[in-house]
Amino acid sequence: MLQEAAVIALGVVLAAASWQDVKTREIDAWIFAIGALPAAALIYMNSPYPFYLFSLAVSLVLASVMRFLGSGYADSIAMALIGSAPPVPPFPTAFIVILAGSVLLPVHMVHIYLANRGKPCEMTSLEKLTHICISKEEFHKNPTKYIVGEVRDVEKYDPRRLEVKEQWIKAKYGLPYLLYLTVGYWIYVILYLSGKSPVAGIA
């Protein structure tokens, strides 16, 4: 019962973090600090199980790779926390969460495509699914929602330094990846609570 409560508590923390990420693109450190508590409890309860340790290691490697490739610290920390949740064999927890969270991708792409209709930015067919055409006024209203230009490390990107001259801007925009991870995690929670061979039940 304690383990199930910790799994759900971690989901609540991820939901709070993703909500703040959607609204402001910034997350208070105390949210992840709270998330470390159920994560630590899950690691303590499951550490004797080899497949659990493998699943945890997969998430930590993925978190490191994400940060190396330029993802924000929040996404990497969330991936590491997700790894503390017990896997549903034969898949590591991170695989389940990533695959389940991808259900948002087609919905997101359709949303972006519809939002670009009638806008004057020149974009390829692919860019109409990955970028958004916004006015200069809209960009300045909430610049942290958009990424203009080529950015390899989002942690080093500061939109306040940009000098925007064009009236219409082609920017990268999307639902924060943390939201994808959170949706995927809650689908994992449903699978886990349905009793599909949690790792702690494997001899």
Side-chain angles (χ1 to χ4, degrees):
M1 195 67 184
L2 181 60
Q3 179 155 245
E4 287 79 359
V7 166
I8 293 172
L10 187 56
V12 172
V13 168
L14 291 172
S18 63
W19 173 258
Q20 191 174 37
D21 199 16
V22 169
K23 300 294 287 184
T24 67
R25 292 301 196 271
E26 295 178 341
I27 301 171
D28 293 328
W30 62 264
I31 293 180
F32 285 131
I34 293 174
L37 298 177
L42 288 168
I43 292 173
Y44 176 78
M45 287 184 282
N46 291 283
S47 57
Y49 301 98
F51 189 71
Y52 174 81
L53 295 177
F54 170 74
S55 177
L56 177 61
V58 167
S59 290
L60 294 177
V61 169
L62 286 175
S64 299
V65 170
M66 288 167 61
R67 182 66 199 107
F68 178 77
L69 294 177
S71 295
Y73 286 113
D75 295 336
S76 299
I77 293 172
M79 179 58 71
L81 291 176
I82 285 168
S84 69
V88 178
F91 303 107
T93 303
F95 286 10
I96 297 173
V97 170
I98 291 172
L99 289 174
S102 65
V103 299
L104 284 182
L105 185 58
V107 176
H108 177 212
M109 293 173 74
V110 170
H111 167 72
I112 292 293
Y113 181 82
L114 294 176
N116 282 323
R117 289 191 307 173
K119 300 289 181 66
C121 297
E122 292 185 6
M123 291 188 283
T124 66
S125 298
L126 179 59
E127 286 177 332
K128 289 179 181 179
L129 300 174
T130 59
H131 292 64
I132 191 165
C133 185
I134 57 172
S135 66
K136 181 168 63 175
E137 291 76 19
E138 186 177 354
F139 173 76
H140 286 302
K141 183 191 297 185
N142 199 341
T144 57
K145 278 191 174 184
Y146 309 99
I147 297 178
V148 178
E150 293 299 322
V151 177
R152 293 189 176 183
D153 189 341
V154 295
E155 290 295 336
K156 297 179 180 178
Y157 176 69
D158 186 353
R160 294 168 296 184
R161 297 180 181 178
L162 293 177
E163 185 178 347
V164 178
K165 297 180 180 179
E166 299 84 0
Q167 180 58 37
W168 291 92
I169 308 161
K170 180 178 69 175
K172 291 180 181 178
Y173 169 80
L175 295 173
Y177 189 59
L178 182 53
L179 182 58
Y180 284 77
L181 293 177
T182 300
V183 170
Y185 182 84
W186 278 103
I187 293 175
Y188 150 81
V189 170
I190 294 172
L191 291 174
Y192 175 77
L193 295 180
S194 69
K196 295 185 181 294
S197 301
V199 71
I202 297 177

